[in-house]
Amino acid sequence: MLQKIVIVGGGAGGLELATKLGNNLGKKKLAKIFLVDRSYIHLWKPLLHKFAAGSLYKENHAISYIAHAKNHYFQFYIGEMIGINRIKKTIMLNEVISKIGHVVIPKRELNYDILVIAIGSESNHFTISGVKKYCSFIDNILQAKQLYNRIFNLFLKISTNFNINKEKYNITIVGGGATGVELSAELYNTIEGLHQYGFQGLKKDTLDITLIEMGPRILPALPEKISNKVYVSLKKIGIKVINNTTIVKCNESGLFTKNGEYIKSELIVWSAGIKTQKFKTECFDLETNHIHQLLVKDTLQTTLDEKIFAIGDCASCLLKNGIYVPPRAQAAHQMATCTYLNILSLIKDRSLKSYIYKDHGSLISLSKFKTIGNLIENITNNSILIEGVVARLAYLLVYRMHQISLHGTIKTGVIMLSTNINRIVQPKFKLY
Ligand SMILES: Cc1cc2nc3c(=O)[nH]c(=O)nc-3n(C[C@H](O)[C@H](O)[C@H](O)COP(=O)(O)OP(=O)(O)OC[C@H]3O[C@@H](n4cnc5c(N)ncnc54)[C@H](O)[C@@H]3O)c2cc1C
């Protein structure tokens, strides 16, 4: 009997893994590979803030799971995993509902011999009052689309009202991590761009963009030097950065801080920290941490079941130096490679290798304004600060590497070419 390998979640880690396993075991008919995702399309998550700001078109970057599966010898199943039965070796999938509310596929089970959980993470609202109800999030393409609609409508309102009332509007982004920082700069890029498309009232004196960080500095996970440089650049662009500020409540028109201040805001984006989705305890009995990430051993197998792996943001992997692997695309990519090799070893009854996280550095793109980051030198582990064109190229390369691991070099080249042609014929911003 062929082994059945099921991967749940076709994101930065899961889709790369399904592609590798499909191209090897699937193609040679040595195992059956299945990918399950609750969406029909893959979009590289680090691009979501650009879709939300209207500076990238989803259509130019989306990958159809059904088509990709056909080209890479695996099968795609649409559905949201809602639980695991480790005794029966099955996963439970929720019913698939159509846009008009009809049940397309009822709840069902899918059996596995080896399971890989790669379901990523979502924003953590820390049960702060009003956050879930009044804030926007950018955890998936649907949310990015909804946020863009809200932003576009706000920009339209400001632009057409500018002669009548001189009111100043405000967009607040909570969370000074990479997502919040990059989104704030991207929004400024859109504001400047839309101004050229006739949104005359949309300018610095009609709209503030405020970035709020709880800690003493933005980008707390990055070296202080980068954080300081980014802070200066954001200020120069015109973004208000407020550090040392904790949000305790949100309502429909603003945020309350721990110090008793009220920040009025037409739109609030919440990007402060992550958590993994929580499953009902009766349908899920794997060990998790306080943010519901699955605890894994150094081989990336879950602590209670060696036939179940967890990779990417949903995995809590403690390194030998006592540090946890950060929730980043580069970690998801490396974990996919390690799990690929470990699944081959598991099938052949060989010993599994330990996952070693290699930090290649971090890059922060402030849209067209600046790119800043550091590269970690391979041998000495020294951190080298980069900015300007070099940093911009390195930033673009990270996405290209993801595309190459999915499509190979030639197809990635063709995709780049067609995206560049589209950029010539399409407006620079989404205008609807
Ligand atoms: C706006 C933004 C910018 C970012 N920028 C960077 C960056 O510059 N550099 C960097 O390294 N990292 C960045 N990150 C983080 C990076 O995107 C993640 O670390 C990475 O995508 C994690 O990969 P993953 O495979 O674990 O999960 P994801 O890429 O999130 O994929 C998870 C997949 O699982 C599916 N899924 C979820 N739940 C279920 C379920 N129950 N059943 C079925 N399918 C499910 C989802 O639909 C999705 O396809 C950014 C994140 C965001 C939000």
Side-chain angles (χ1 to χ4, degrees):
M1 266 290 269
L2 286 186
Q3 294 262 325
K4 195 167 169 183
I5 304 166
V6 175
I7 300 145
V8 185
L15 187 58
E16 288 191 13
L17 177 62
T19 308
K20 269 179 193 278
L21 287 170
N23 286 342
N24 184 347
L25 298 179
K27 189 175 179 182
K28 294 178 190 157
K29 297 200 172 17
L30 295 174
K32 285 186 177 174
I33 318 297
F34 291 82
L35 174 70
V36 177
D37 202 288
R38 57 185 176 190
S39 167
Y40 284 101
I41 55 165
H42 164 82
L43 276 162
W44 199 54
K45 208 173 171 184
L47 297 179
L48 284 182
H49 65 290
K50 287 181 184 276
F51 299 122
S55 52
L56 269 193
Y57 288 82
K58 176 187 100 186
E59 296 72 20
N60 296 345
H61 297 270
I63 297 173
S64 151
Y65 286 123
I66 296 174
H68 194 77
K70 181 214 155 247
N71 293 337
H72 297 277
Y73 310 93
F74 65 86
Q75 286 184 49
F76 173 68
Y77 263 53
I78 182 75
E80 181 188 26
M81 184 178 83
I82 49 172
I84 302 172
N85 186 329
R86 293 201 292 121
I87 297 160
K88 280 167 66 186
K89 285 193 160 191
T90 58
I91 58 166
M92 285 87 106
L93 298 179
N94 210 355
E95 51 198 9
V96 177
I97 311 276
S98 74
K99 277 186 185 157
I100 51 166
H102 292 159
V103 175
V104 182
I105 310 173
K107 279 187 185 171
R108 72 227 119 109
E109 289 190 1
L110 182 66
N111 67 308
Y112 65 83
D113 294 305
I114 297 171
L115 177 66
V116 182
I117 306 174
I119 55 174
S121 61
E122 56 195 33
S123 296
N124 197 341
H125 51 76
F126 303 101
T127 63
I128 296 168
S129 166
V131 172
K132 220 173 154 186
K133 189 167 176 191
Y134 299 111
C135 297
S136 295
F137 301 89
I138 38 171
D139 296 326
N140 54 53
I141 189 61
L142 190 69
Q143 288 178 352
K145 208 171 142 193
Q146 286 166 346
L147 176 57
Y148 178 70
N149 288 340
R150 292 195 63 193
I151 289 169
F152 186 79
N153 287 337
L154 177 65
F155 287 178
L156 202 60
K157 178 174 151 184
I158 298 171
S159 194
T160 47
N161 274 356
F162 79 106
N163 274 335
I164 308 159
N165 62 47
K166 294 265 184 249
E167 197 182 341
K168 193 160 191 181
Y169 295 89
N170 181 34
I171 294 179
T172 306
I173 299 162
V174 185
T179 305
V181 165
E182 292 193 350
L183 177 67
S184 61
E186 206 60 52
L187 284 179
Y188 243 105
N189 177 39
T190 307
I191 291 169
E192 288 192 3
L194 290 187
H195 199 258
Q196 289 164 14
Y197 280 101
F199 286 60
Q200 294 300 319
L202 193 59
K203 47 191 177 188
K204 285 184 184 174
D205 50 357
T206 52
L207 178 67
D208 273 339
I209 294 189
T210 309
L211 180 67
I212 295 181
E213 166 57 36
M214 188 172 88
R217 64 177 175 97
I218 54 167
L219 301 171
L222 268 59
E224 201 164 344
K225 212 170 168 185
I226 297 177
S227 163
N228 292 342
K229 274 190 173 274
V230 171
Y231 178 82
V232 172
S233 300
L234 289 180
K235 287 282 205 192
K236 229 187 238 172
I237 297 169
I239 291 153
K240 279 183 160 181
V241 184
I242 309 176
N243 291 330
N244 295 309
T245 300
T246 306
I247 301 303
V248 289
K249 190 181 166 181
C250 297
N251 66 14
E252 64 275 18
S253 48
L255 315 93
F256 298 85
T257 73
K258 202 176 172 183
N259 299 339
E261 283 164 298
Y262 181 65
I263 302 167
K264 197 173 169 303
S265 196
E266 272 60 43
L267 211 155
I268 309 164
V269 185
W270 192 269
S271 66
I274 62 143
K275 66 179 170 72
T276 298
Q277 58 193 275
K278 191 174 185 240
F279 298 96
K280 286 185 185 154
T281 34
E282 63 271 25
C283 314
F284 198 82
D285 62 348
L286 292 166
E287 277 191 305
T288 54
N289 66 10
H290 65 293
I291 53 166
H292 319 306
Q293 285 174 310
L294 287 103
L295 306 194
V296 292
K297 299 191 272 193
D298 60 355
T299 53
L300 301 178
Q301 291 161 299
T302 50
T303 44
L304 300 183
D305 196 322
E306 61 174 26
K307 292 291 168 105
I308 304 181
F309 292 79
I311 63 169
D313 285 9
C314 72
S316 168
C317 179
L318 183 62
L319 296 166
K320 288 206 170 81
N321 58 7
I323 293 171
Y324 285 91
V325 177
R328 291 205 195 149
Q330 62 170 313
H333 162 78
Q334 293 170 15
M335 285 176 160
T337 306
C338 176
T339 304
Y340 166 71
L341 296 172
N342 278 348
I343 287 177
L344 297 187
S345 300
L346 197 63
I347 291 173
K348 289 176 185 160
D349 233 353
R350 293 194 196 133
S351 59
L352 275 59
K353 67 177 220 162
S354 295
Y355 167 64
I356 298 163
Y357 172 62
K358 184 88 199 75
D359 186 359
H360 294 295
S362 306
L363 292 154
I364 301 295
S365 161
L366 304 180
S367 191
K368 68 172 183 198
F369 305 103
K370 205 170 188 145
T371 307
I372 307 169
N374 68 331
L375 290 181
I376 311 278
E377 215 265 312
N378 252 346
I379 303 160
T380 57
N381 256 358
N382 281 342
S383 164
I384 307 159
L385 190 89
I386 53 167
E387 11 185 345
V389 183
V390 180
R392 180 98 207 115
L393 288 175
Y395 185 83
L396 293 174
L397 193 67
V398 183
Y399 179 42
R400 297 299 171 214
M401 295 302 286
H402 174 64
Q403 287 181 306
I404 288 170
S405 65
L406 297 181
H407 306 296
T409 322
I410 296 172
K411 194 170 171 190
T412 301
V414 176
I415 293 171
M416 279 168 67
L417 190 67
S418 79
T419 312
N420 285 337
I421 294 171
N422 278 332
R423 279 174 60 187
I424 299 169
V425 293
Q426 285 168 331
K428 274 192 180 157
F429 298 92
K430 207 162 173 245
L431 300 168
Y432 53 90

